[in-house]
Every structure is written in structure tokens, then in C-alpha cells.
Amino acid sequence: MCLIKHEGINQVIELNLDLAYLSYYYELSTKRINQYAARDPESIITLETMAGAVTLDKEEFMKLMNKPSKVAKILQLQSPKNRYLILKNLNERDLAKILPYLSSEQLAWGLQYFTSEKLEDLINKLPAEQVATLVFQHFGIMDILDLMEDDKMNQFLKSDKLEKKDVMKYFEQLDDDKFRNIMMKQFGISMQKKDRGDYLTMIDEMNPDKFLEFLMNFDRKDKMELIAGLVEINPEYILEFENEDISRPFMLMDKDKILKTMPILDPEFLTPMIEELPPELIQVVATQIDPEVFAQILVEEFPDVLMEMLLG
């Protein structure tokens, strides 16, 4: 058995150590072990495990502890059980040092432990561009607008960020018949005999209040198409909407489908989500870490834990 004593922890855990590998690495023999008996006790250590014991030169052993690949082999970190047994003895602060070494796929796997309601809350706390990235994996802007309330679309059209030049660009590329129908709906039959140039001039010469009134009076379908066209002209316009409005169609999907989409996010956005899990579940998620990477972290971040495990 190995004893971990770290920041108040005093718990015996059953880590299987590869004693045979240690013996092979040091080319140990009974004769060599017997030679240690005549040496200064301070210069040697005895490693005791469930499988037996071995006497080592302390200086050589300390050098070994600086070789993560060797540490991984000795601690048999390829075993998820061994990784978990170590991780479950780390506190929340120490676990936070492990999570950055997990991939997006590994972190996203841990999101399954959240309820659908909590997952929705976490997604809506992401930066707007990340929410949009998730949603656009499955939906288009018209799908978002189809579920959006009219007043939210009106707020968008009132935004100071909306530039008239982009609106004019939308009208410039609009189909002639579509453009004519919009103008006739608002200004009557007299618009039927006018052409595209007349419409553009008329709109361009509107004062700000009249221009806004013109946009507000679009019917729902035309307004949706206008906003969709503006987002196509300038994709950053999608960020003018609240996250809850952008994510609505995405959150109506099955949880499994949502989870399969989450790995497209970078770890920097997924890690804070996982940190909201209870420590015992963070430990489970962290168990996915690559064995040699984990050994490197133990060597660099937790040498005291490492030595207590091996020598305790």
C-alpha cells in the first residue's frame, strides 16, 4: 500500500506499483541489494509495496522521479483505476491544475453530469460568439429568428450598432419583385410603377426617424429576411442578440445531440463548466488524462504527493 499525506489528507490507497519494472530499471540483484547494507542509511531508501520491497540508492531514485515516462510506468498510470485513486485525494484547487491538460473531447464528456437545465445555463453564460458557433453547427439564422419574439427583432433594428450602409446594401441586392412588394406594402400602389433606383433613392433620403419607422413596419417574414440578410453582410450583428435568443433552437435538441456538439469549443470555455461539478465528479472527468502527461504533472506540480505515494 502507499500512503498519501497532502494538505491534511491521511488516507491509505491501494496503488499497484510495478516493482518488477523498478528491479529491471536498476538491474537489481540480491548481491547489489546486500551491498546497500554497508552504506550510510541516509543515502538509501526502501520502497515497500503490496507486492514486496526493494532497496534503492536515494540519489538514483530522485533522478528517476524526474523522468515522467518512468514514473508513469512505476505507478502503472495506464490504469484508469490508479489515476483515479491518486486524483480522488487531490483537493479542488489541485484538480484545477489537472483540467487544462484535458482535450475538448475529454472535457465535453464530463458535461453529461449536468442536468439539461444547468447545461443550458452554462451555455448561455458563454461569450456570444461561442454560443453562435454552437448553434450554427445545426441551425441557420432563419431558424433562430423563427423562434424569436417580435420585440427582440425590433430592438435589433433600433441598435446603434446597425449601420444604414449595410441596410442599403441589403436592398441593393434584393430581388426586384421582393423589393417592389415591400415598398407597395408600406407606400401603396404608387410604388408599382417605380424602379429599383427610385426605391433606393427614397430610402436613402429618409431621415433617421422615418428610416427606423420604415424598418419597424416590415411584416414578420420580411423583417426576418432583412435581419438574416444583414447578418450575412456582417456576421457580427448576431452578437447584438442575447444569448438566450441565439441558443433557443439549440437547447430544444436532445441532450445527447447537444453534448456531441460541445467539443467544438476550445478547452478554455469548457474548463470553467467542469469546475462547477462537485469535486468527486471532477475527479472522474480528470481520470481521462493521458498517463504520461499525468506523470509529468505529478513530477512538476505534486512532488510531495509523488514521494508520499512511493515512500509513505
Side-chain angles (χ1 to χ4, degrees):
M1 293 185 181
C2 300
L3 182 65
I4 292 181
K5 300 175 182 177
H6 183 51
E7 296 195 5
I9 295 173
N10 187 14
Q11 180 177 348
V12 175
I13 63 175
E14 297 181 0
L15 270 186
N16 293 321
L17 303 183
D18 195 337
L19 185 62
Y21 177 77
L22 266 179
S23 298
Y24 172 79
Y25 180 79
Y26 282 107
E27 298 179 348
L28 293 173
S29 64
T30 302
K31 181 178 180 181
R32 184 176 178 187
I33 291 176
N34 290 337
Q35 289 176 347
Y36 287 128
R39 298 186 59 179
D40 179 1
E42 293 297 320
S43 68
I44 60 174
I45 58 176
T46 299
L47 177 62
E48 297 190 16
T49 77
M50 296 178 67
V54 63
T55 302
L56 307 171
D57 180 272
K58 187 173 184 178
E59 184 176 344
E60 287 186 20
F61 184 74
M62 296 304 292
K63 289 179 181 179
L64 172 63
M65 290 302 96
N66 287 320
K67 297 179 180 179
S69 62
K70 307 300 183 187
V71 171
K73 179 68 176 176
I74 295 168
L75 295 182
Q76 295 189 27
L77 295 182
Q78 71 276 12
S79 165
K81 177 184 176 181
N82 271 14
R83 297 197 299 273
Y84 174 70
L85 287 172
I86 297 171
L87 287 164
K88 79 184 188 73
N89 285 277
L90 301 183
N91 58 37
E92 291 183 61
R93 184 181 62 194
D94 291 337
L95 285 170
K97 298 177 181 178
I98 303 293
L99 294 180
Y101 293 91
L102 299 183
S103 68
S104 291
E105 289 76 13
Q106 291 168 331
L107 291 165
W109 177 84
L111 298 178
Q112 66 180 300
Y113 295 115
F114 290 113
T115 64
S116 296
E117 292 75 16
K118 179 61 175 178
L119 185 58
E120 180 175 359
D121 179 62
L122 291 171
I123 289 173
N124 285 329
K125 287 180 180 177
L126 289 167
E129 64 270 15
Q130 299 303 316
V131 176
T133 296
L134 289 171
V135 176
F136 285 138
Q137 297 300 307
H138 300 279
F139 301 98
I141 181 62
M142 288 297 286
D143 297 308
I144 296 172
L145 296 171
D146 191 49
L147 297 177
M148 191 175 292
E149 298 173 358
D150 289 339
D151 66 323
K152 297 296 183 68
M153 288 191 281
N154 288 338
Q155 288 176 20
F156 170 83
L157 295 173
K158 292 177 182 178
S159 173
D160 293 337
K161 301 289 181 63
L162 181 60
E163 297 190 34
K164 187 172 182 178
K165 68 178 179 63
D166 289 331
V167 180
M168 295 305 298
K169 187 180 296 185
Y170 170 76
F171 287 123
E172 288 168 3
Q173 63 189 28
L174 199 61
D175 175 80
D176 285 348
D177 290 338
K178 180 69 176 177
F179 202 174
R180 182 175 293 106
N181 287 335
I182 288 174
M183 299 302 286
M184 289 178 63
K185 285 178 186 178
Q186 296 218 34
F187 303 108
I189 195 68
S190 63
M191 294 292 108
Q192 188 173 17
K193 295 183 179 181
K194 296 183 181 296
D195 60 25
R196 170 181 296 274
D198 296 324
Y199 301 151
L200 291 172
T201 299
M202 182 178 177
I203 297 171
D204 193 39
E205 291 179 350
M206 290 177 179
N207 64 45
D209 290 340
K210 188 68 175 178
F211 178 71
L212 181 58
E213 181 184 355
F214 169 62
L215 299 182
M216 291 292 185
N217 286 336
F218 275 37
D219 63 27
R220 180 173 175 84
K221 183 179 179 182
D222 289 340
K223 193 174 292 183
M224 289 170 57
E225 291 176 352
L226 167 63
I227 295 173
L230 291 170
V231 171
E232 184 176 347
I233 291 169
N234 182 359
E236 290 191 5
Y237 281 144
I238 190 65
L239 306 182
E240 293 303 302
F241 293 109
E242 295 179 359
N243 283 359
E244 290 79 1
D245 295 315
I246 299 174
S247 70
R248 188 163 288 120
F250 184 73
M251 299 314 307
L252 291 176
M253 296 194 307
D254 291 338
K255 182 179 177 181
D256 286 346
K257 198 168 185 178
I258 292 172
L259 291 174
K260 288 179 181 178
T261 310
M262 298 303 289
I264 68 169
L265 297 179
D266 290 336
E268 66 177 294
F269 301 110
L270 291 166
T271 298
M273 295 183 177
I274 295 302
E275 288 176 341
E276 293 203 26
L277 286 170
E280 59 270 22
L281 290 179
I282 297 178
Q283 294 158 3
V284 173
V285 175
T287 299
Q288 299 174 93
I289 192 168
D290 178 86
E292 291 205 14
V293 172
F294 190 29
Q296 182 76 40
I297 296 172
L298 289 174
V299 168
E300 294 180 355
E301 298 286 347
F302 307 112
D304 55 334
V305 176
L306 181 61
M307 296 308 293
E308 287 291 347
M309 280 190 295
L310 293 170
L311 304 179

